[in-house]
Amino acid sequence: MAITKEMIIGDVLDMYPETAPYFMAIGMHCLGCPHSRGESIEDACMVHGANVAELIDTLNEVIAKR
């Protein structure tokens, strides 16, 4: 299943824990807090000033290597 910008970060982390370092790389250092786990990837990128398309591409490359 491909990761999309609409997906909730907590769901992605539950399915693909190996993606955590890539969220942390955009400034999401509190992945365990309820707010960060409950927001969409798109919302997190907007808040942290990250390029959502680049992050999605990276995350999908990571999970493709499973």
Side-chain angles (χ1 to χ4, degrees), residues 2-55:
I3 296 173
T4 66
K5 66 183 181 178
E6 295 84 15
M7 292 179 79
I8 301 299
I9 293 170
D11 295 340
V12 173
L13 291 171
D14 289 344
M15 290 184 289
Y16 309 109
E18 66 272 26
T19 61
Y22 301 93
F23 286 107
M24 292 178 73
I26 68 162
M28 295 193 66
H29 298 244
C30 184
L31 292 177
C33 76
H35 181 70
S36 71
R37 286 190 56 91
E39 67 184 341
S40 71
I41 295 172
E42 183 174 38
D43 289 343
C45 285
M46 186 172 42
V47 168
H48 293 281
N51 183 309
V52 68
E54 288 178 8
L55 179 59

Side-chain angles (χ1 to χ4, degrees), residues 1-4 7 12 15-20 22 56-66:
M1 169 204 244
I3 296 173
T4 66
M7 292 179 79
V12 173
M15 290 184 289
Y16 309 109
E18 66 272 26
T19 61
Y22 301 93
I56 294 298
D57 288 345
T58 300
L59 296 176
N60 281 311
E61 288 173 13
V62 168
I63 66 169
K65 295 177 184 175
R66 286 184 122 193

